[in-house]
Structures are given as structure tokens and as C-alpha cells.
């Protein structure tokens, strides 16, 4: 007799896949990409993805049986499995880690998951099955349940299918996924019971309710709300309009006077009305770029579109998307998270209406599952997927086009946890699997993408003019060293910037001020002894946040009240050093008391609609001045901004990173691009201590090509990308000595293998975070050497490393193509 087995991927960081036994019947239905619940270890249950179905028993252990099948059909496609394998191997992590990062949490229930009641939704107990009801009831008494507890309650070992059902029915939510704004999937509506609809009956009804004024008010309100057109009325609407309660409405429903009904609303539905307007006719520059892009697509090449800010790149993308959708293929539009604003989305919705699905991290699990299913089933409402980096994990069936907008953005690279992938690069690989066209777009391309166009690997198209002959902004460097010497500074504002702001406000135009640090001041310093308060968990000074009167650590979140006196010497004379957005906001308010000032940084944009509120207020010109960090550099199209002020360019240039200059160029160019996007020429003032710095000059003259050439030359000299590849290895441990020994051991093993191309070990600028010490090694891989071979060697070294007892607890983290 042949036995049947499945190999599954568990969403945990273990190297290998695991084999489980299945029955003959199960073997008939199971396919790669379907989910099963499997036991693991002593008592855990995980959701696993089937990788293969076969008849080869494992050699080293006896296969356990699976618990249950969770899907009727594969939710992961063969192309995805292949792509995820590439990610695991290229970025040196496990397939399990990729699966965990790729699938929405709701697909991966496991015994460690915590379960809460979904309070945003009213449950009709009659709709619950017995076992579901038991869980529902338990959650009335206890706010959080563990999966084991659920298991005890319903006296069954495998509870994942039940939990899945409860999730689908909106009865429960998962712990890590509690979001402030939950839009229920089913909306409750009410109407007048059928027998009361005629005028006469209605009058009788109202007469009969004279003793129940609250109920009669509800009926009257319903009547008013409905108006002539009998539009559907939500229970919540009625409750508000009649100023009554759910209980009153319910009693009317119970009496049969009102009838309840449900309408299913898709959470990610587009509710606009003006979809499918014609796309715009391109101007000659856009036409030329489009033609170049198409001919390069014909050659099967990834193509870079370099178009200055406001040149109308988005309209070019629209043409390509239209063409792709007409062929019945799906399109993927990737953006950095912070550029993913309602502004852009509503612009695309004008053309593509409900064909658009949006996918990003601020969506809750259910919303993400919906998009996943819609993409998997190639639904009409998911033909164009717009999303941040994780959108490239979706189960596309027939992908025809990938656009990576703002391709230079470093936030495309996932930093933590594994897989530490670059969404642009991983999307390119995905595109190749699908034989899709791939377009990268930016006003300030990354050095590596531009390099690829120069070597002929990528195709190239450009637009050098702003749309509508709007001029590029007039840029000017302001020497603050000189201004300080001449005492011409008001706080952090040079006289030049101050006067220009005054002028701009007088003309009723808006201003953006850019400072790449949040908080009030990065340092608090004692004027007597020089001590500055440090984070107890990290090797970094605490940032002063005046608004909350707190010192905060930006690495671990630690915070304390502002001390009255120096911790070290007791002196009450404390002063701040440096400045962040909060301080700028305060100074602006003092300098321009009439102006309305807003601030956009991590501290003011938390929550699902955080950005949107601020962006909308600025767009509606409720604010005159917006102070912000690099968040406001991305893809925003404000019509009335005529002045952009960069408070201090030097902190960008001095960043300890081989890309600091490239990044400075990109950031300053992008933020400048927010100025003067309509007829009037915009103005940009960049304050700096180094007005003769090469990069700043290149920014003001828009000289990308020379910036590129110089950067490339330097990187060739020092063996950095794009000519070489780098793999960064980070060691992490709570014990300082163990960490140092371990890093030394690993480094010398690497040196024996690679000679001079290993840098370090070195402490990063912040050498301890959350009580863990850190040390880095950078391995530079020359083009001639195989990246694959290098990785294999590193893995081999890691194996012997881990066999040293003392090093076993040291975490080794790989970051391939670290940026
Ligand atoms: P980019 O993405 O290159 O910064 P946008 O696509 O945002 O530029 O275009 C800048 C502005 O010009 C937008 O308001 C856009 O609507 C307008 N625009 C661009 N191309 C056209 C066109 N062909 N016809 C009409 N308006 C256009
Ligand atoms: Zn002191
Ligand atoms: Zn800290």
C-alpha cells in the first residue's frame, strides 16, 4: 500500500519543510498552495501551506497526521511559491519567514494567537453554530482567549476552522489586529414593516403609538429620512436622527413594525461616482516618453522613466495601465507607504473606478483577506492593485504590468523582520516570472537603476519639463554660518527665509518647511556639567518632546517626564541642542502669529487616517504653513505652495552612510518639487552651513547626471553597489563581551574566505538598542565573484559558528543589498 504525504511550509524561521501524513481521500483533494492545520512540537498547532503532495515517507522521523484541511482551493499560486523561494534564497532567510510576511495574518491562525471579541459588530446569536456560540459566550466573560482555552471550551483539539468561521462572521478579532476604525462588512438597515406602508396604515400606527413617544419618534424619523425615494436607512442613521437608542428600535423590530435587513458592503469598495473618465491627452514630451517605454518593453526590458517633479509621470502610467487592463491582464502599482495617499488614489480612481484594489499595512486583516481573494480570483474589482511593498505578495494570476513609482525610495527595502527584501527588486523578479512589463519611475532615480540604464540592462525614457510649461522652482542656498555671524537669524530662520515667508503669506500662498527630525530637540544638555540624559535601554540620547514635556527614545519608545534638574550634577540649568519639527512649529507660530501652522511627522500622523487629515487640511488651505519631516516629500500635489524652506541641509549630508549624498540629492529635489506646481514659479530656500557643498550645488542646478557620475566613481573606488554587491551581517546579543568575541570569530572566518572584502566588525552609530548590543560586518562581493557562492560560504561559516556553545545565543542577521 502507498502512503500519502504532504510537505508543508510552517510560518516559522526553520530551514526545512516538514512532512505530514495524509489519507488517500485527502491526497485526492490536497494541492500545493492550500492550507492545512498541523500539530507541531508538544502542543502547538500551526497553519501551514502545502508545498507538495507525494508518497515518500520522511527518513528521520515518523510523520504526524495533519489536523484539518483549511481550504477548498489553493490560496497561494505556483508562481508565488516559486517567487517566495527566490526571496528566501536571495535574501538569506527561510521560506517560513517569507510566508509569514506574505500572507495576511488572518490566513495564519495558530495556537498562540490571542482572540478578542469584535465589539464593533453586533452579533445575531441565532446565526452561530453551537460551537461558535460557546466561544462567543466565553468572550462575554473574558476579554481575551488563547487558542488552548478555546480548545478546552469546545472540547476539541483543532479549533482553527472554527476560529476562521468566527473571523468570517465578524464575531472575533485577533489581538495584533485591533484597529481603531473598523468598518463592518454587513450594514444593518431598517424599513417600515410591509403591512404599515400605506398612508392609512401609517396613520393608524402612529395613533397606536401615542403612548410610546419614543417609538413614535423613531417611526416619524424613519419616514422623514426615507423621503420619497425610499432610500435604504441604516440603523445607526435612524438612531441618530430620532435621538433614540438601539433598544427602542429593537423593540419596534420585535413588534414587527420595523423590518431589519442587511446589505453587504465591501470594505474596500470605491464609493465615488465619477469613475471611468477619459484619460488625459499627453503632451509631446509625455508622448515621446511613452513611445520610448513601449519600444523598450518590446525588447523585454525593465524600463526606467526619469521625469522631473510634476512632469506628468502619473498620466503616462495611466496610459500603460489602460492598455494592460484592456488586454485583460492585471496591473500592480507599487508605491512607498508614505506616498500612498488619498490624493493619488482618488486621481487613479477617476480613471479606473472600482477596478482598483488597495493594499497596505494600515488595512486590517479582513480587508487584506478580501483583496487577496479578489486578486486570486481575478475579480473585476482587483484589476489594478495599488499598494506598498507587501502588495507584490498578492496571488496574481495574469500580471501584465508592474509600475514601481518613486523607485529610489529606501522604504521599499524592508528592514525588519526577515525577509529583508527590496520590493522593487523582488517585484522585478516577479514580473519576469509573469513575463510582465516593468516600469520604474522617479524624478531622482537610484544610482543603481540609472547605472542599469547606462550598461544597457534597462531601457530608459525621460521627461525633462514640467507639465504645462511650469518652470522648475527657483532654488537658492542660504549660508546660515554667515547669517549667524551677522546676527541675522530669528531662531532657526535666516532673515532671507523669514522675509520670503512673509512675502508668500502676503500673497496668500502656502509654505512647506522641511526638517528631517521630529520632536523638539534631539538633545537635552546640562549647562553645568555637559551631561545629557540617555536612554536606559539604548546607547542614544533622549529626544526632547516639548508638547508632552517628555524625553523620548526614538529607538525603543522609552520615555520619562522632563527632569527639573540634571541627573548627574543636580544643576537646574538645562538647555536643548539641535532642533526638530516641533521646535520649528513653535518658532513659526511666534514669528507669524496670524498664520495657521500644521505639522506632519510620525508623531502627528499615527492612526489609519493620520496623514490624510493633515494633507486634506493643507490641500483645503485650512493651513498656511506645513512643517514636516521627509513624509511630506513624497508625491504630494499641492496646488498653492509657492515656497519650500529646508531648515538645515547639513544633517542629511553628514549621515554616516555611503548613500548619504545620493539620498540628500533625492530628498532635497523631491521636497523642492512640492513648490510652484502651477503657473507661478515656485521658490526653494535651502539653509546650510556649507553652501559650497558639491551635492547642494547639484541639487540647485538639477544636475542629476553629474551627481550620478561622482557617486558612481566613489562607489567604484570603495567597492560599493551598484558595481559590487554588499551583504551586511549584524550580530546581536545582550552581553557585550560575548557579542565582541562572536563578531571577531565570524569576521576572521570570513576573512580567511574572502580576504580584503570584509569590513568590520564595527559598532553602528547606536550600538545598543533595547538592551541588545549590535555589531556589523559588511561583505563586499565583486561582480566577478558569484553572489550565490558567497552566500553558501557565509552559511557554512554560520554553521560552524553556531556549533560553538557560547555563540549559539548570538543572533546573526543577514541583510542582502543593505541600503
Ligand atoms: P509627476 O507624477 O511627474 O510629479 P503629475 O503626474 O502629478 O506629475 O502631474 C503634475 C500635474 O500636471 C498634475 O496636476 C496633472 O494632473 C497635470 N498633468 C500632467 N499631465 C497632464 C496632461 N497630459 N493633461 C492635463 N494635465 C496633466
Ligand atoms: Zn549636570
Ligand atoms: Zn531606547
Amino acid at each position: 500500500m502507498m502512503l500519502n504525504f504532504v510537505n508543508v511550509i510552517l510560518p516559522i524561521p526553520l530551514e526545512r519543510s516538514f512532512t505530514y501524513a495524509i489519507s488517500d481521500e485527502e491526497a485526492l483533494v490536497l494541492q500545493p498552495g492550500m492550507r492545512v492545520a498541523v500539530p507541531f512540537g508538544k502542543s502547538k498547532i500551526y497553519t501551514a501551506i502545502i508545498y507538495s503532495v507525494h508518497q515518500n515517507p520522511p527518513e528521520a522521523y515518523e510523520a504526524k497526521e495533519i489536523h484539518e484541511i483549511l481550504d477548498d482551493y489553493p490560496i497561494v499560486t505556483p508562481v508565488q511559491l516559486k517567487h517566495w523561494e527566490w526571496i528566501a534564497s536571495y535574501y538569506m532567510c527561510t521560506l517560513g519567514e517569507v510566508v509569514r510576511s506574505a500572507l495576511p495574518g488572518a490566513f495564519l491562525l495558530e495556537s498562540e494567537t490571542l482572540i478578542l471579541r469584535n465589539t464593533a459588530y453586533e452579533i445575531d446569536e441565532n446565526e452561530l453554530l453551537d460551537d461558535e456560540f460557546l466561544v462567543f459566550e466565553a468572550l462575554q466573560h473574558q476579554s481575551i482567549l488563547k487558542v488552548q482555552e478555546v480548545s478546552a471550551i469546545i472540547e476539541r483539539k483543532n479549533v482553527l476552522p472554527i476560529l476562521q468561521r468566527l473571523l468570517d462572521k465578524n464575531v472575533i478579532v485577533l489581538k495584533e489586529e485591533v484597529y481603531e476604525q473598523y468598518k463592518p462588512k454587513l450594514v444593518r438597515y431598517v424599513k417600515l414593516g410591509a403591512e404599515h406602508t400605506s398612508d392609512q396604515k401609517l396613520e393608524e400606527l402612529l395613533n397606536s403609538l401615542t403612548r410610546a413617544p419614543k417609538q413614535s419618534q423613531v417611526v416619524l424619523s424613519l419616514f422623514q429620512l426615507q423621503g420619497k425615494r425610499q432610500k435604504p436607512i441604516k440603523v445607526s442613521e435612524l438612531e441618530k436622527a430620532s435621538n433614540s437608542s438601539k433598544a427602542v428600535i429593537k423593540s419596534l423590530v420585535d413588534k414587527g413594525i420595523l423590518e431589519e435587513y442587511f446589505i453587504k458592503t465591501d470594505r474596500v469598495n470605491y464609493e465615488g461616482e465619477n469613475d471611468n473618465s477619459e484619460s488625459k491627452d499627453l503632451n509631446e514630451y509625455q508622448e515621446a516618453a511613452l513611445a520610448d517605454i513601449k519600444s523598450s518593453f518590446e525588447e523585454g526590458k525593465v524600463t526606467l522613466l526619469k521625469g522631473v517633479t510634476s512632469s506628468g509621470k502619473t498620466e503616462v502610467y495611466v496610459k500603460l495601465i489602460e492598455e494592460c487592463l484592456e488586454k485583460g491582464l492585471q496591473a500592480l502599482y507599487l508605491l512607498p507607504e508614505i506616498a500612498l495617499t488619498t490624493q493619488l488614489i482618488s486621481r487613479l480612481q477617476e480613471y479606473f473606478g472600482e477596478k482598483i484594489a488597495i493594499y497596505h499595512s494600515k488595512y486590517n486583516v479582513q480587508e487584506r483577506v478580501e483583496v487577496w481573494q479578489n486578486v486570486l480570483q481575478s475579480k473585476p474589482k482587483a484589476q489594478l492593485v495599488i499598494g506598498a511593498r507587501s502588495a507584490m505578495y498578492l496571488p496574481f494570476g495574469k500580471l501584465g504590468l508592474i509600475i514601481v513609482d518613486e523607485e529610489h525610495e529606501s522604504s521599499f527595502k524592508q528592514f525588519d523582520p526577515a525577509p529583508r527584501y527590496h520590493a522593487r527588486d523582488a517585484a522585478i523578479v516577479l514580473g519576469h516570472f509573469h513575463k510582465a512589463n516593468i516600469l520604474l519611475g522617479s524624478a531622482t532615480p537610484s544610482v543603481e537603476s540609472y547605472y542599469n540604464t547606462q550598461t544597457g540592462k534597462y531601457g530608459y525614457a525621460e521627461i525633462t519639463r514640467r507639465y504645462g510649461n511650469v518652470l522648475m522652482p527657483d532654488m537658492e542656498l542660504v549660508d546660515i554660518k554667515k547669517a549667524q555671524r551677522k546676527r541675522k537669524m530669528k531662531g532657526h530662520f535666516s532673515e532671507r527665509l523669514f522675509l520670503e515667508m512673509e512675502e508668500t503669506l502676503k500673497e496668500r500662498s502656502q509654505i512647506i518647511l522641511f526638517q528631517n527630525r521630529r520632536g523638539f530637540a534631539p538633545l537635552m544638555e546640562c549647562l553645568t556639567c555637559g551631561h545629557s540624559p540617555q536612554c536606559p535601554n539604548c546607547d542614544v540620547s533622549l529626544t526632547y518632546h516639548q508638547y508632552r514635556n517628555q524625553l523620548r527614545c526614538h529607538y525603543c519608545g522609552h520615555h520619562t517626564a522632563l527632569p527639573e534638574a540634571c541627573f548627574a550634577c543636580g544643576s537646574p540649568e538645562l538647555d536643548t541642542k539641535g532642533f526638530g519639527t516641533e521646535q520649528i512649529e513653535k518658532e513659526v507660530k511666534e514669528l507669524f502669529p496670524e498664520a495657521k501652522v500644521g505639522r506632519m511627522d510620525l508623531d502627528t500622523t499615527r492612526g489609519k487616517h493620520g496623514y490624510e487629515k493633515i494633507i486634506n487640511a493643507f490641500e483645503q488651505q485650512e493651513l498656511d504653513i506645513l512643517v514636516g519631516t521627509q513624509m511630506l516629500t513624497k508625491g504630494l500635489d499641492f496646488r498653492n505652495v509657492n515656497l519650500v524652506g529646508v531648515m538645515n541641509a547639513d544633517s542629511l549630508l553628514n549621515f554616516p552612510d555611503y548613500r548619504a549624498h545620493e539620498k540628500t540629492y533625492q530628498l532635497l529635489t523631491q521636497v523642492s518639487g512640492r513648490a510652484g506646481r502651477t503657473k507661478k514659479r515656485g521658490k526653494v530656500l535651502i539653509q546650510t552651513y556649507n553652501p559650497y557643498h558639491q551635492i547642494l550645488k547639484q541639487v540647485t542646478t538639477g544636475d542629476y547626471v553629474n551627481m550620478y557620475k561622482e557617486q558612481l566613481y566613489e562607489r567604484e573606488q570603495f567597492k560599493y553597489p551598484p558595481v559590487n554587491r554588499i551583504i551586511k551581517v549584524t550580530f546581536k546579543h545582550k552581553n557585550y563581551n560575548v557579542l565582541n568575541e562572536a563578531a571577531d570569530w565570524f569576521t576572521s572566518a570570513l576573512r580567511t574566505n574572502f580576504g580584503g572584502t570584509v569590513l568590520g566588525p564595527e559598532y553602528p552609530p547606536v550600538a545598543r538598542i533595547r538592551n541588545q548590543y549590535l555589531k556589523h560586518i559588511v561583505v563586499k562581493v565583486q561582480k566577478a565573484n558569484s553572489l550565490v557562492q558567497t552566500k553558501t560560504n557565509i552559511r557554512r561559516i554560520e554553521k560552524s559558528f553556531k556549533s560553538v556553545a557560547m555563540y549559539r545565543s548570538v543572533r546573526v542577521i543577514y541583510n542582502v543589498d543593505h541600503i
Side-chain angles (χ1 to χ4, degrees), residues 339-370:
L340 198 55
T341 58
T342 27
Q343 255 194 355
L344 176 88
I345 291 167
S346 33
R347 214 170 132 188
L348 292 169
Q349 276 171 336
E350 272 179 36
Y351 305 128
F352 303 108
E354 63 230 15
K355 294 182 194 139
I356 296 182
I358 297 150
Y359 195 75
H360 69 104
S361 67
K362 284 192 179 176
Y363 276 12
N364 67 35
V365 273
Q366 273 92 344
E367 287 171 323
R368 276 190 265 174
V369 166
E370 267 172 29

Short mmCIF file of all heavy atoms in Angstrom, two decimals, residues 339-370:
data_model
loop_
_atom_site.label_atom_id
_atom_site.label_comp_id
_atom_site.label_asym_id
_atom_site.label_seq_id
_atom_site.Cartn_x
_atom_site.Cartn_y
_atom_site.Cartn_z
N ALA A 339 3.84 57.49 0.34
CA ALA A 339 3.33 58.19 -0.84
C ALA A 339 1.94 57.71 -1.19
O ALA A 339 1.30 58.19 -2.11
CB ALA A 339 4.26 57.99 -2.02
N LEU A 340 1.49 56.72 -0.45
CA LEU A 340 0.22 56.07 -0.76
C LEU A 340 -0.92 56.88 -0.16
O LEU A 340 -1.51 56.53 0.82
CB LEU A 340 0.25 54.67 -0.17
CG LEU A 340 -0.74 53.66 -0.68
CD1 LEU A 340 -0.63 53.53 -2.17
CD2 LEU A 340 -0.47 52.33 -0.03
N THR A 341 -1.23 57.98 -0.77
CA THR A 341 -2.20 58.89 -0.17
C THR A 341 -3.51 58.87 -0.93
O THR A 341 -3.58 58.42 -2.07
CB THR A 341 -1.67 60.33 -0.23
OG1 THR A 341 -1.44 60.64 -1.60
CG2 THR A 341 -0.40 60.47 0.54
N THR A 342 -4.55 59.39 -0.29
CA THR A 342 -5.84 59.50 -0.96
C THR A 342 -5.72 60.37 -2.20
O THR A 342 -6.45 60.18 -3.16
CB THR A 342 -6.89 60.17 -0.05
OG1 THR A 342 -6.21 61.01 0.86
CG2 THR A 342 -7.69 59.14 0.67
N GLN A 343 -4.80 61.33 -2.16
CA GLN A 343 -4.61 62.20 -3.33
C GLN A 343 -4.39 61.38 -4.59
O GLN A 343 -5.10 61.52 -5.57
CB GLN A 343 -3.38 63.08 -3.11
CG GLN A 343 -3.72 64.50 -2.77
CD GLN A 343 -2.50 65.40 -2.91
OE1 GLN A 343 -1.38 64.94 -3.17
NE2 GLN A 343 -2.70 66.68 -2.75
N LEU A 344 -3.38 60.52 -4.53
CA LEU A 344 -3.06 59.73 -5.71
C LEU A 344 -4.18 58.74 -6.02
O LEU A 344 -4.56 58.54 -7.17
CB LEU A 344 -1.75 58.98 -5.49
CG LEU A 344 -1.45 58.07 -6.67
CD1 LEU A 344 -0.68 58.82 -7.73
CD2 LEU A 344 -0.73 56.83 -6.23
N ILE A 345 -4.70 58.11 -4.97
CA ILE A 345 -5.71 57.09 -5.18
C ILE A 345 -6.95 57.67 -5.84
O ILE A 345 -7.46 57.12 -6.82
CB ILE A 345 -6.05 56.38 -3.85
CG1 ILE A 345 -4.84 55.55 -3.41
CG2 ILE A 345 -7.27 55.48 -3.99
CD1 ILE A 345 -4.90 55.07 -2.00
N SER A 346 -7.41 58.83 -5.36
CA SER A 346 -8.62 59.36 -5.99
C SER A 346 -8.33 59.80 -7.42
O SER A 346 -9.20 59.72 -8.28
CB SER A 346 -9.26 60.49 -5.18
OG SER A 346 -8.32 61.23 -4.50
N ARG A 347 -7.10 60.21 -7.68
CA ARG A 347 -6.75 60.56 -9.05
C ARG A 347 -6.87 59.34 -9.96
O ARG A 347 -7.44 59.42 -11.05
CB ARG A 347 -5.31 61.05 -9.04
CG ARG A 347 -5.07 62.14 -10.04
CD ARG A 347 -3.71 62.73 -9.81
NE ARG A 347 -2.98 62.82 -11.06
CZ ARG A 347 -1.70 63.16 -11.13
NH1 ARG A 347 -1.01 63.41 -10.03
NH2 ARG A 347 -1.10 63.23 -12.30
N LEU A 348 -6.36 58.21 -9.49
CA LEU A 348 -6.45 57.00 -10.32
C LEU A 348 -7.87 56.47 -10.38
O LEU A 348 -8.30 55.89 -11.38
CB LEU A 348 -5.49 55.93 -9.78
CG LEU A 348 -4.02 56.29 -9.95
CD1 LEU A 348 -3.14 55.33 -9.17
CD2 LEU A 348 -3.63 56.27 -11.43
N GLN A 349 -8.62 56.68 -9.29
CA GLN A 349 -10.00 56.20 -9.30
C GLN A 349 -10.85 56.93 -10.33
O GLN A 349 -11.81 56.38 -10.84
CB GLN A 349 -10.60 56.33 -7.90
CG GLN A 349 -10.25 55.13 -7.04
CD GLN A 349 -10.64 55.30 -5.60
OE1 GLN A 349 -10.76 56.43 -5.11
NE2 GLN A 349 -10.83 54.21 -4.90
N GLU A 350 -10.46 58.17 -10.64
CA GLU A 350 -11.21 58.87 -11.68
C GLU A 350 -11.17 58.10 -12.99
O GLU A 350 -12.11 58.11 -13.76
CB GLU A 350 -10.61 60.25 -11.92
CG GLU A 350 -11.18 61.29 -11.02
CD GLU A 350 -10.54 62.64 -11.28
OE1 GLU A 350 -10.23 62.93 -12.46
OE2 GLU A 350 -10.34 63.37 -10.31
N TYR A 351 -10.06 57.44 -13.24
CA TYR A 351 -9.94 56.69 -14.50
C TYR A 351 -10.41 55.25 -14.35
O TYR A 351 -11.03 54.71 -15.24
CB TYR A 351 -8.49 56.67 -14.98
CG TYR A 351 -7.86 58.03 -15.13
CD1 TYR A 351 -6.65 58.31 -14.53
CD2 TYR A 351 -8.50 59.02 -15.87
CE1 TYR A 351 -6.06 59.56 -14.67
CE2 TYR A 351 -7.92 60.26 -16.02
CZ TYR A 351 -6.71 60.53 -15.41
OH TYR A 351 -6.13 61.76 -15.55
N PHE A 352 -10.03 54.63 -13.23
CA PHE A 352 -10.23 53.19 -13.16
C PHE A 352 -11.33 52.77 -12.19
O PHE A 352 -11.62 51.58 -12.06
CB PHE A 352 -8.91 52.49 -12.81
CG PHE A 352 -7.83 52.80 -13.81
CD1 PHE A 352 -6.77 53.63 -13.48
CD2 PHE A 352 -7.90 52.28 -15.10
CE1 PHE A 352 -5.79 53.94 -14.41
CE2 PHE A 352 -6.92 52.59 -16.03
CZ PHE A 352 -5.86 53.42 -15.69
N GLY A 353 -11.91 53.76 -11.50
CA GLY A 353 -13.06 53.48 -10.65
C GLY A 353 -12.89 52.26 -9.79
O GLY A 353 -11.89 52.09 -9.10
N GLU A 354 -13.88 51.37 -9.87
CA GLU A 354 -13.87 50.24 -8.96
C GLU A 354 -12.97 49.09 -9.40
O GLU A 354 -12.97 48.04 -8.80
CB GLU A 354 -15.30 49.74 -8.73
CG GLU A 354 -15.95 49.23 -9.96
CD GLU A 354 -17.34 49.85 -10.13
OE1 GLU A 354 -17.61 50.85 -9.45
OE2 GLU A 354 -18.11 49.33 -10.93
N LYS A 355 -12.21 49.31 -10.45
CA LYS A 355 -11.25 48.26 -10.83
C LYS A 355 -10.04 48.26 -9.90
O LYS A 355 -9.18 47.40 -10.01
CB LYS A 355 -10.76 48.50 -12.26
CG LYS A 355 -11.88 48.34 -13.27
CD LYS A 355 -11.33 48.52 -14.68
CE LYS A 355 -12.48 48.71 -15.66
NZ LYS A 355 -12.18 49.74 -16.65
N ILE A 356 -9.99 49.26 -9.01
CA ILE A 356 -8.81 49.41 -8.17
C ILE A 356 -8.97 48.71 -6.84
O ILE A 356 -10.00 48.83 -6.18
CB ILE A 356 -8.55 50.91 -7.89
CG1 ILE A 356 -8.23 51.62 -9.20
CG2 ILE A 356 -7.44 51.09 -6.88
CD1 ILE A 356 -7.92 53.08 -9.03
N ALA A 357 -7.95 47.96 -6.46
CA ALA A 357 -7.88 47.43 -5.10
C ALA A 357 -6.66 48.05 -4.43
O ALA A 357 -5.64 48.24 -5.07
CB ALA A 357 -7.76 45.91 -5.12
N ILE A 358 -6.80 48.37 -3.16
CA ILE A 358 -5.69 48.99 -2.45
C ILE A 358 -5.25 48.06 -1.34
O ILE A 358 -6.07 47.42 -0.69
CB ILE A 358 -6.11 50.36 -1.89
CG1 ILE A 358 -6.47 51.27 -3.06
CG2 ILE A 358 -5.02 50.99 -1.06
CD1 ILE A 358 -7.51 52.28 -2.74
N TYR A 359 -3.95 47.98 -1.15
CA TYR A 359 -3.40 47.00 -0.20
C TYR A 359 -2.24 47.62 0.55
O TYR A 359 -1.22 47.91 -0.05
CB TYR A 359 -2.91 45.81 -1.02
CG TYR A 359 -2.64 44.56 -0.24
CD1 TYR A 359 -3.68 43.77 0.23
CD2 TYR A 359 -1.34 44.14 0.00
CE1 TYR A 359 -3.43 42.59 0.91
CE2 TYR A 359 -1.09 42.95 0.69
CZ TYR A 359 -2.15 42.18 1.14
OH TYR A 359 -1.91 41.01 1.80
N HIS A 360 -2.43 47.88 1.82
CA HIS A 360 -1.26 48.27 2.59
C HIS A 360 -1.44 48.05 4.08
O HIS A 360 -2.48 47.59 4.52
CB HIS A 360 -0.81 49.70 2.28
CG HIS A 360 -1.73 50.78 2.76
ND1 HIS A 360 -1.46 51.54 3.86
CD2 HIS A 360 -2.90 51.21 2.27
CE1 HIS A 360 -2.44 52.41 4.03
NE2 HIS A 360 -3.33 52.23 3.08
N SER A 361 -0.38 48.34 4.80
CA SER A 361 -0.29 47.84 6.17
C SER A 361 -1.31 48.47 7.11
O SER A 361 -1.57 47.94 8.18
CB SER A 361 1.10 48.09 6.71
OG SER A 361 1.31 49.48 6.86
N LYS A 362 -1.91 49.59 6.73
CA LYS A 362 -2.88 50.15 7.64
C LYS A 362 -4.27 49.54 7.47
O LYS A 362 -5.20 49.90 8.16
CB LYS A 362 -2.93 51.68 7.52
CG LYS A 362 -1.72 52.29 8.22
CD LYS A 362 -1.81 53.78 8.39
CE LYS A 362 -0.56 54.26 9.12
NZ LYS A 362 -0.53 55.72 9.25
N TYR A 363 -4.37 48.63 6.52
CA TYR A 363 -5.63 47.90 6.39
C TYR A 363 -5.66 46.76 7.39
O TYR A 363 -4.64 46.16 7.68
CB TYR A 363 -5.75 47.33 4.98
CG TYR A 363 -6.30 48.32 3.99
CD1 TYR A 363 -6.40 49.66 4.33
CD2 TYR A 363 -6.73 47.91 2.74
CE1 TYR A 363 -6.92 50.57 3.44
CE2 TYR A 363 -7.25 48.82 1.84
CZ TYR A 363 -7.34 50.14 2.20
OH TYR A 363 -7.86 51.03 1.32
N ASN A 364 -6.83 46.45 7.89
CA ASN A 364 -6.89 45.36 8.86
C ASN A 364 -6.93 44.01 8.15
O ASN A 364 -7.03 43.92 6.93
CB ASN A 364 -8.07 45.54 9.81
CG ASN A 364 -9.39 45.40 9.12
OD1 ASN A 364 -9.54 44.59 8.21
ND2 ASN A 364 -10.37 46.17 9.54
N VAL A 365 -6.85 42.94 8.95
CA VAL A 365 -6.73 41.60 8.36
C VAL A 365 -7.84 41.25 7.40
O VAL A 365 -7.59 40.72 6.33
CB VAL A 365 -6.67 40.48 9.41
CG1 VAL A 365 -5.26 40.25 9.85
CG2 VAL A 365 -7.60 40.73 10.56
N GLN A 366 -9.07 41.58 7.80
CA GLN A 366 -10.18 41.18 6.93
C GLN A 366 -10.10 41.90 5.59
O GLN A 366 -10.34 41.31 4.55
CB GLN A 366 -11.52 41.47 7.59
CG GLN A 366 -12.00 40.35 8.48
CD GLN A 366 -11.54 40.53 9.91
OE1 GLN A 366 -10.65 41.33 10.18
NE2 GLN A 366 -12.13 39.78 10.82
N GLU A 367 -9.78 43.17 5.64
CA GLU A 367 -9.68 43.91 4.39
C GLU A 367 -8.61 43.29 3.50
O GLU A 367 -8.76 43.16 2.30
CB GLU A 367 -9.34 45.38 4.68
CG GLU A 367 -10.49 46.15 5.25
CD GLU A 367 -10.10 47.54 5.75
OE1 GLU A 367 -9.00 47.71 6.29
OE2 GLU A 367 -10.90 48.46 5.59
N ARG A 368 -7.50 42.89 4.15
CA ARG A 368 -6.43 42.32 3.34
C ARG A 368 -6.82 40.97 2.75
O ARG A 368 -6.47 40.65 1.63
CB ARG A 368 -5.15 42.22 4.17
CG ARG A 368 -4.42 43.54 4.16
CD ARG A 368 -3.07 43.41 4.76
NE ARG A 368 -3.11 43.78 6.16
CZ ARG A 368 -2.09 43.66 6.99
NH1 ARG A 368 -0.97 43.12 6.56
NH2 ARG A 368 -2.20 44.05 8.23
N VAL A 369 -7.57 40.19 3.54
CA VAL A 369 -8.03 38.90 3.02
C VAL A 369 -8.95 39.12 1.82
O VAL A 369 -8.86 38.42 0.81
CB VAL A 369 -8.73 38.10 4.13
CG1 VAL A 369 -9.51 36.92 3.54
CG2 VAL A 369 -7.72 37.61 5.14
N GLU A 370 -9.81 40.11 1.91
CA GLU A 370 -10.70 40.40 0.78
C GLU A 370 -9.94 40.72 -0.49
O GLU A 370 -10.23 40.20 -1.57
CB GLU A 370 -11.61 41.59 1.12
CG GLU A 370 -12.92 41.16 1.72
CD GLU A 370 -13.73 42.34 2.24
OE1 GLU A 370 -13.59 43.46 1.69
OE2 GLU A 370 -14.49 42.13 3.19
#
